Amino acid sequence: MAADSPVLAGRPFPLGAHPEAGGVRFAVSAPSAEAVEVCLISEDGTENRIELTERTFGVWHGLVAGVTPGQRYGYRVHGPYDPSRGLRGNPAKLLVDPYAKRITGKVTDLDAALGYVGDPMLGPPSVVDSLGSVPLSVVTSPGGPDTGTKPEVPFEEAVIYELHVRGFTRMHPDVPEHLRGTYLGLAHPAVVEHLVRLGVTTVELLPVHAFQDEPALMREGRVNYWGYSPLGYFAPHPDYASEPSREVEEFRTMVAAMHAAGIEVLIDVVFNHTCEGGPDGPTLSLRGFDAPGYYLHVAGGGTLDITGCGNTLEAGSPQVVRLVTDSLRYWATELGVDGFRFDLASTMGRPGGGYFDRNSALLTAITTDPVLSRCKLIAEPWDATGDGYRVGDFGVQWAEWNGRYRDTVRDFWRGAIGVRDLAYRLSGSSDLYADDLRRPWQSINFITAHDGFTLRDLVSYNGKHNEANGEDNRDGTNDNRSWNCGVEGETDAPGVLTLRARQARNLFATLLLSTGTPMLVAGDELWRTQGGNNNAYCVDDETSWVDWKLTDDATAMLTFARRVITLRAGSPALRQPEFFEGRTTASGAPDLVWLRPDGEEMAETDWFDEGRRTLGMWIDGSNSLSRSREGELVSDDSWLLLLHAGADQIEVVLPPSEYGAHFEPMLDTTTADGSPATPGLLQPGSTLTITGHSLMLLRAPN
């Protein structure tokens, strides 16, 4: 259809579609394009193409009069098409605006979305019009429901809870059925109450950017449940809204509900690849605007894939730096989120796909931004390559998912290693972070995550069971470091079940009592199982959804979890914001002492005994470096943590009186709820029997 709307020049920035001056100003970056049309799509599917004649800094822009919020639109980019140089301009393909605040629809005809015919590198451009077969952008007004006051929880007080918006409430009995699996379902009072009673301070949402299923899944009639396949970096995923076209408002309402309860909202962002995949993938957005400007390419025009997903965003491109930082600021300001977890963040420090540089343009742009520098910034410090494993290597303002912590704690409790590396992990991983001006809380300690076994499965399976994924159990890691406690999978054997529950409590307690920031996974506290599936990325059913039925086992685990989290929250010495230094305290002993079962301090040679399965950790709370919200130092009692991964019980001698006038058991993983099996005060130098595979925490009042 010919253009029938007047077009003014407008301005190139900010990018996107912005209602103003009686119309909408459109601006999109397409430096290599020869012409760009904005296409207004009516309710009956007809199209009004309007050429944008102004190009500034490679941005095509124009103000179209008479357009209002709610208008569906897309772009058509004319030439050049030269796959050998990575150029894939094709006006037959209607493109989603990279800055769209709302996206509607899905790919319904994959073949129509392909920009080529035959061989993706050698074939001619497809002339099939993709209109009607691909998602559309929607003009959106700014503003909406107030997102409330950000809680600004100090990192050292944070307890992060990773959850999936859909899966978390899909089976919740107290959430109205039409709200289950939505942003408003997450905002429901019963859900918020669960988080508050558990002691969560910060929720981390799996991807909520609008995403699109990968071609391989579409062809099999499957879905990308996790959402690590982004289409648009500004638009909330529409399928998580309870009502059509209300995703922005409902997301803001959810954030407000969390903030009102004092809970922060972090979102998992995927700035390493998009749903367009490799050269054989569809042309939906970035590929059609400027593929070489957005994606890493190799000689001959193919994409460089260091994500395992077909393409990789070019971290050194100014277009990518602008796209990422603009997106982050939008979510932090307009949508109210408190921080971000960056998926495969190592790619963001590898411009050109080369060696990792913590001071890369993209990472630096994020940490120096006046808005983003105040957000919680958490890196997943690896990608799909060996060179990308960078745990401990990010810059001073970055917290990191500490994969070393996960592996070490799992290995210790399954009896595979001694205690040398465990001591580093329990005390904040100073070997990874202390030399980089970072704090212990920048170690995001975790034992389970969305990617891998649940806590219950970690103690129930030796191997993965991913048959439901349709890939013959080839997908998912084989490096699980799990132990089934003697039987693979479900069992009725009382001894095995008792040991599994205790092992789960050991792992959970270790996580919460370690120095650093603990991250839990939704449902672990409810004894959730995925039946041994450690990669349920495409399983959108009861396998992945949180089961809210409070069985006896679930009730016991929930009670224990609440107890440990509450204990941590009330014990500043267990969550100190500074590394232990061996400094002498008022007790005359160092701030941290490692103890053997005989009550004596660990000698250097003891650390190299790989058969050692018992470790004592004494923390002097009288010299705690924790502070109040006003910045004043907060003292605490001293603590003795005893961890015993051996199968047999062991006699442990409590340390002498300079460590405490007496010791009071506060947590014991041999009981279902964690209450001490032998309550009462214990004297210095007395002997304590520790059950095999168990943990005990004792308090020494100051």
Side-chain angles (χ1 to χ4, degrees):
M1 180 182 298
D4 57 7
S5 301
V7 182
L8 301 177
R11 294 169 285 109
F13 298 118
L15 296 170
H18 302 272
E20 59 181 58
V24 171
R25 181 179 56 80
F26 295 93
V28 66
S29 179
S32 60
E34 297 166 354
V36 173
E37 296 169 312
V38 60
C39 306
L40 308 181
I41 312 301
S42 64
E43 288 301 318
D44 63 5
T46 56
E47 175 185 13
N48 180 14
R49 299 187 186 185
I50 301 168
E51 185 175 358
L52 300 178
T53 58
E54 295 293 325
R55 180 171 60 176
T56 308
F57 314 130
V59 175
W60 296 80
H61 54 95
L63 195 155
V64 183
V67 180
T68 58
Q71 173 66 58
R72 300 184 303 163
Y73 72 99
Y75 286 101
R76 295 187 186 272
V77 174
H78 296 259
Y81 184 87
D82 185 354
S84 67
R85 294 191 292 142
L87 298 170
R88 294 180 179 272
N90 184 339
K93 306 307 164 184
L94 192 66
L95 305 177
V96 169
D97 183 354
Y99 279 70
K101 304 297 195 304
R102 278 184 51 215
I103 295 174
T104 184
K106 298 180 179 180
V107 175
T108 57
D109 184 344
L110 183 58
D111 291 335
L114 299 179
Y116 59 90
V117 176
D119 189 310
M121 300 303 299
L122 301 175
S126 166
V127 296
V128 176
D129 194 331
S130 65
L131 174 60
S133 302
V134 295
L136 299 173
S137 312
V138 182
V139 176
T140 305
S141 296
D146 184 14
T147 58
T149 301
K150 294 188 176 184
E152 296 189 346
V153 177
F155 236 130
E156 61 266 29
E157 297 179 15
V159 175
I160 299 175
Y161 188 83
E162 186 194 48
L163 65 85
H164 188 286
V165 171
R166 175 169 166 80
F168 192 55
T169 64
R170 188 66 182 81
M171 299 173 67
H172 199 299
D174 296 330
V175 175
E177 188 170 354
H178 74 286
L179 297 182
R180 294 175 187 172
T182 70
Y183 300 120
L184 293 187
L186 187 53
H188 190 275
V191 176
V192 177
E193 181 187 13
H194 174 79
L195 298 173
V196 171
R197 291 190 63 196
L198 182 59
V200 168
T201 70
T202 307
V203 295
E204 180 177 303
L205 310 182
L206 265 67
V208 291
H209 287 154
F211 59 87
Q212 167 66 44
D213 300 329
E214 297 95 321
L217 292 175
M218 290 182 60
R219 292 188 179 100
E220 297 175 1
R222 307 171 75 83
V223 299
N224 186 318
Y225 169 70
W226 284 350
Y228 291 92
S229 186
L231 171 62
Y233 289 120
F234 290 78
H237 190 57
D239 289 350
Y240 296 158
S242 67
E243 297 182 18
S245 305
R246 296 286 297 172
E247 58 267 26
V248 175
E249 293 82 359
E250 292 191 11
F251 184 89
R252 293 174 66 111
T253 298
M254 178 272 295
V255 172
M258 292 295 170
H259 285 173
I263 297 174
E264 297 177 307
V265 178
L266 312 184
I267 62 172
D268 196 335
V269 290
V270 188
F271 293 120
N272 57 78
H273 77 281
T274 75
C275 65
E276 291 185 306
D280 60 342
T283 296
L284 300 174
S285 185
L286 302 183
R287 171 170 288 136
F289 287 110
D290 183 18
Y294 285 109
Y295 298 127
L296 288 175
H297 280 73
V298 295
T303 54
L304 176 60
D305 180 12
I306 61 175
T307 66
C309 301
N311 64 50
T312 307
L313 288 183
E314 168 56 281
S317 165
Q319 285 173 268
V320 171
V321 173
R322 180 185 295 124
L323 176 69
V324 171
T325 53
D326 285 352
S327 168
L328 293 171
R329 275 192 301 272
Y330 174 73
W331 286 84
T333 55
E334 290 296 313
L335 299 185
V337 305
D338 303 273
F340 307 92
R341 179 265 188 187
F342 294 81
D343 181 66
L344 300 185
S346 292
T347 63
M348 300 165 65
R350 300 182 66 181
Y355 292 110
F356 178 79
D357 178 7
R358 69 173 67 181
N359 297 317
S360 72
L362 180 51
L363 295 177
T364 299
I366 293 170
T367 57
T368 57
D369 184 277
V371 172
L372 304 179
S373 60
R374 297 186 60 186
C375 297
K376 284 184 168 67
L377 303 174
I378 302 173
E380 182 185 38
W382 50 77
D383 56 33
T385 71
D387 290 340
Y389 189 81
R390 314 305 303 187
V391 174
D393 288 345
F394 273 70
V396 66
Q397 290 175 245
W398 291 91
E400 296 178 11
W401 269 27
N402 190 343
R404 288 276 299 276
Y405 180 94
R406 172 200 58 206
D407 295 347
T408 296
V409 174
R410 287 187 179 193
D411 279 344
F412 173 75
W413 281 113
R414 70 188 179 107
I417 62 170
V419 300
R420 184 169 68 253
D421 200 55
L422 178 68
Y424 279 115
R425 307 308 143 225
L426 292 172
S427 57
S429 295
S430 60
D431 58 328
L432 298 177
Y433 305 116
D435 291 340
D436 296 328
L437 301 178
R438 288 196 271 181
R439 299 286 193 91
W441 43 257
Q442 288 173 280
S443 172
I444 306 300
N445 298 334
F446 69 105
I447 292 171
T448 57
H450 68 276
D451 187 2
F453 283 146
T454 67
L455 182 61
R456 176 176 171 180
D457 289 355
L458 187 63
V459 298
S460 303
Y461 295 90
N462 281 352
K464 64 188 181 184
H465 296 265
N466 298 354
E467 289 79 9
N469 298 358
E471 300 178 45
D472 296 323
N473 206 36
R474 294 188 302 269
D475 62 303
T477 183
N478 293 315
D479 184 20
N480 295 293
R481 304 176 190 234
S482 58
W483 178 40
N484 64 19
C485 298
V487 177
E488 185 73 358
E490 295 300 308
T491 181
D492 294 326
V496 174
L497 294 175
T498 297
L499 178 56
R500 286 178 177 177
R502 189 162 72 246
Q503 281 288 84
R505 292 192 293 269
N506 290 335
L507 291 160
F508 192 94
T510 302
L511 175 63
L512 269 295
L513 299 177
S514 297
T515 303
T517 301
M519 186 190 77
L520 322 176
V521 176
D524 274 355
E525 78 281 10
L526 296 170
W527 206 229
R528 185 175 77 90
T529 179
Q530 291 185 167
N533 193 324
N534 73 352
N535 188 39
Y537 76 101
C538 60
V539 183
D540 185 9
D541 61 23
E542 291 86 348
T543 303
S544 299
W545 304 339
V546 172
D547 186 349
W548 290 89
K549 290 192 298 290
L550 285 179
T551 63
D552 290 345
D553 290 337
T555 299
M557 191 65 208
L558 178 59
T559 301
F560 179 83
R562 287 171 175 167
R563 182 187 190 97
V564 182
I565 296 173
T566 299
L567 197 157
R568 179 185 187 273
S571 309
L574 297 176
R575 47 178 174 78
Q576 297 188 50
E578 303 281 356
F579 286 108
F580 297 102
E581 300 174 348
R583 58 186 179 278
T584 301
T585 67
S587 67
D591 56 354
L592 173 65
V593 179
W594 301 105
L595 299 169
R596 302 184 311 213
D598 63 3
E600 297 297 322
E601 187 173 351
M602 289 276 288
E604 183 175 356
T605 54
D606 294 328
W607 293 110
F608 296 91
D609 177 4
E610 289 301 315
R612 190 172 291 276
R613 297 291 180 265
T614 310
L615 183 65
M617 178 183 184
W618 184 80
I619 298 173
D620 189 341
S622 67
N623 195 239
S624 168
L625 295 182
S626 292
R627 295 181 180 273
S628 68
R629 294 286 180 95
E630 291 72 35
E632 298 178 351
L633 286 171
V634 179
S635 62
D636 190 16
D637 292 325
S638 295
W639 297 92
L640 176 62
L641 179 62
L642 301 172
L643 306 96
H644 176 50
D648 300 323
Q649 71 178 30
I650 190 173
E651 301 296 316
V652 171
V653 177
L654 297 178
S657 57
E658 58 261 33
Y659 292 90
H662 59 261
F663 296 89
E664 179 183 5
M666 299 298 294
L667 184 72
D668 186 343
T669 61
T670 64
T671 65
D673 65 355
S675 60
T678 54
L681 303 182
L682 304 174
Q683 299 305 307
S686 61
T687 300
L688 184 63
T689 300
I690 304 295
T691 301
H693 305 298
S694 71
L695 174 151
M696 185 175 288
L697 179 70
L698 304 95
R699 179 172 61 188
N702 288 315

